[in-house]
Amino acid sequence: HGAAELEETGTEALPRRTPAPAWLPTAKGEEGDFCLRSSDCAAGLCCARHFWSKICKPVLREGQVCTRHRRKGTHGLEIFQRCQCAEGLACRLQREHGPADASRLHTCQRH
C-alpha cells in the first residue's frame, strides 16, 4: 500500500513537458555547426556525418562530385558524408571524352 502511494506521487511530480536540452540550437545551424537532422540546418545545407558527429554541410551544386550509393544502407557507413545534389540535379556518372569507364566519378548534373 505504501509503495503504490509513492509511485503515484512520483509521477505527478514529473513535469508534463520536458524542455529542449540547452545544447540544441534555437536558430538554424550554419555550415560546420553540429546537428542531428537536416531540419536543424539553414537553407542550402544538410546534416551529414563528419567523423563521429554530424555537422551542417552545403547541398551539392552542378558539377560537384557526389556519392552514388549502389546498395541501400551504405550511406550510414561513411565517415565523411556528402549532402545530396540540389533540387533539379541528379548524381550521375561523369561523361568523359575518352575510353568507356575511364572515370568512375559521379557529379551533380541537370536532369
Side-chain angles (χ1 to χ4, degrees):
H1 179 298
E5 284 177 31
L6 283 174
E7 216 172 298
E8 283 177 23
T9 51
T11 54
E12 286 175 32
L14 291 173
R16 299 238 179 247
R17 222 162 129 192
T18 53
W23 60 267
L24 275 180
T26 51
K28 298 282 185 178
E30 294 301 319
E31 190 174 339
D33 288 349
F34 290 103
C35 57
L36 293 174
R37 60 192 67 82
S38 291
S39 60
D40 296 338
C41 302
L45 301 173
C46 83
C47 189
R49 190 179 334 284
H50 189 79
F51 285 115
W52 290 272
S53 58
K54 291 175 100 180
I55 62 169
C56 296
K57 294 183 179 184
V59 170
L60 301 176
R61 294 191 182 101
E62 189 172 5
Q64 289 186 306
V65 175
C66 54
T67 306
R68 181 85 185 242
H69 300 284
R70 295 183 195 278
R71 280 169 293 190
K72 226 178 178 143
T74 55
H75 194 62
L77 302 175
E78 293 176 290
I79 293 177
F80 299 104
Q81 287 179 334
R82 290 184 176 114
C83 288
Q84 68 284 359
C85 295
E87 207 171 311
L89 301 175
C91 188
R92 294 194 181 132
L93 192 61
Q94 186 172 318
R95 291 178 220 109
E96 292 284 330
H97 299 293
D101 286 2
S103 172
R104 286 266 171 231
L105 214 54
H106 286 77
T107 57
C108 293
Q109 302 169 26
R110 295 217 174 269
H111 290 285

